Amino acid sequence: MNIEALHQSKSGFRDEQYRALGQLANHRLLDTGEERHCFQSLERALREWIKVMARSIDQQRTPYEVLSEEEWLTLKSQLDFSNQSKPNEELIDKIRSNFPCINALRSLTLATESQPASQLMAEVDTLVDFLVIHNQKLVIKVAKEHNFLSLPLVDLVQEGNIGLLKAIEKYDVKREHKFSTYAWWWIRHSITLYVRKQGGLVRKPDNLVEQMLQVLREFEHAGEYQSREKLKQVARKQHLPPKKVERLLQLAKPDLSIDAPLSSEDSDPSLAPLLVAQDSAIDDIVITRNSLSKHLNQLPE
């Protein structure tokens, strides 16, 4: 496959991703009753999953490191399948609050090949997928609002979904606030963290990226970057010199790779061949005004 064909292939894959995003955005957000029902079902399945897999968890690791020896032995005896006593719900609460349940339990389940645990894993995955799909509109909205560096929207949505999954696992259904309100912070946090670390080909210092984001949030759209009045307003609000604001806006522009295609129609798809070679001859000698004045003063009268 040549370079042009590879570029077209990547472009087509990206277009397909955007079409998939558009389809996901059509799913409505859940109302309060639907959210509560889903999370109650998820919490029940997770607690049952913990009871089934608790005996397979290393005592020296989270969550058992937060249990005393006596508590651990009590739970272990209660989870013995020959024991018909009901497990201590307070100990299950401790495990639930200290254990990254979904990923860790999935690994344990796959390792032990427990049939009851596999059924619970499938139930949890179905509920999580349902919640993720019906919150894609929120993720896309947050990604668009925080795409200050003009990064690919698909990448920001993927990072936002990482935050969404954390919110799903940590959400307490007993609280009164809506899940979307709680999830917004986790989605925003994940996207902002990605922007800070992956915002360009050249890694920028965290404090510089933070300043860039603070400045960019003051502009409603990129067209305002050229407004002198808007620049002065932002400079006053951020307590920065106007030139510093201009510099931060320049740094916020996406980095360009010399291997990036100039255009899909260009016969020479990259920037590299247009750069001057290191061993090429210099046609003209560049003389600054100061150096020219210095040489002229040295000429005999």
Side-chain angles (χ1 to χ4, degrees), residues 150-288:
S150 300
L151 299 171
L153 182 62
V154 172
D155 295 342
L156 293 186
V157 170
Q158 289 175 343
E159 293 299 319
N161 280 327
I162 294 175
L164 176 62
L165 289 172
K166 290 180 180 178
I168 289 172
E169 184 164 347
K170 292 179 177 291
Y171 180 65
D172 186 354
V173 70
K174 297 176 184 177
R175 297 184 179 182
E176 295 299 325
H177 55 72
K178 278 181 64 65
F179 170 71
S180 56
T181 304
Y182 177 78
W184 181 89
W185 186 91
W186 283 100
I187 295 167
R188 176 183 175 275
H189 174 74
S190 185
I191 290 174
T192 303
L193 189 64
Y194 172 77
V195 170
R196 286 178 179 175
K197 292 184 176 179
Q198 309 291 337
L201 298 173
V202 178
R203 175 72 182 273
K204 300 177 179 70
D206 288 344
N207 61 333
L208 180 62
V209 175
E210 184 62 34
Q211 278 189 316
M212 288 163 46
L213 294 176
Q214 289 176 356
V215 167
L216 290 168
R217 288 190 185 103
E218 302 296 332
F219 295 89
E220 294 184 3
H221 51 81
E224 292 186 334
Y225 296 169
Q226 307 302 322
S227 171
R228 304 301 302 178
E229 186 61 31
K230 184 64 177 180
L231 285 174
K232 292 178 181 178
Q233 290 177 5
V234 173
R236 286 194 297 268
K237 187 171 182 180
Q238 295 293 327
H239 306 289
L240 295 171
K243 288 187 177 180
K244 176 72 171 180
V245 175
E246 290 183 19
R247 177 62 176 160
L248 290 171
L249 290 176
Q250 290 175 352
L251 291 172
K253 294 179 180 178
D255 298 329
L256 295 177
S257 169
I258 62 173
D259 295 320
L262 294 175
S263 69
S264 58
E265 300 178 356
D266 200 326
S267 58
D268 189 357
S270 72
L271 180 64
L274 302 181
L275 299 178
V276 178
Q278 293 292 332
D279 57 351
S280 61
I282 300 178
D283 296 332
D284 299 306
I285 298 177
V286 179
I287 301 178
T288 64

Side-chain angles (χ1 to χ4, degrees), residues 28-66:
R28 63 177 179 82
L29 291 171
L30 302 176
D31 60 35
T32 305
E34 291 171 325
E35 278 185 359
R36 180 168 294 276
H37 175 72
C38 282
F39 278 102
Q40 286 174 342
S41 299
L42 180 62
E43 183 66 18
R44 179 195 57 76
L46 279 174
R47 294 176 75 87
E48 289 297 322
W49 200 3
I50 289 172
K51 293 173 185 177
V52 171
M53 298 305 301
R55 291 173 59 83
S56 301
I57 303 173
D58 188 342
Q59 182 188 356
Q60 304 303 318
R61 297 183 180 180
T62 303
Y64 287 131
E65 61 189 16
V66 301

Side-chain angles (χ1 to χ4, degrees), residues 96-110:
R96 178 70 181 92
S97 60
N98 289 279
F99 199 42
C101 293
I102 296 177
N103 289 334
L105 288 173
R106 180 179 289 110
S107 298
L108 284 173
T109 300
L110 294 175

Side-chain angles (χ1 to χ4, degrees), residues 8-38:
Q8 291 177 354
S9 175
K10 289 182 177 179
S11 177
F13 176 69
R14 182 71 70 175
D15 291 341
E16 185 177 337
Q17 287 180 312
Y18 277 107
R19 283 194 295 271
L21 278 183
Q23 293 174 355
L24 289 173
N26 291 330
H27 290 85
R28 63 177 179 82
L29 291 171
L30 302 176
D31 60 35
T32 305
E34 291 171 325
E35 278 185 359
R36 180 168 294 276
H37 175 72
C38 282

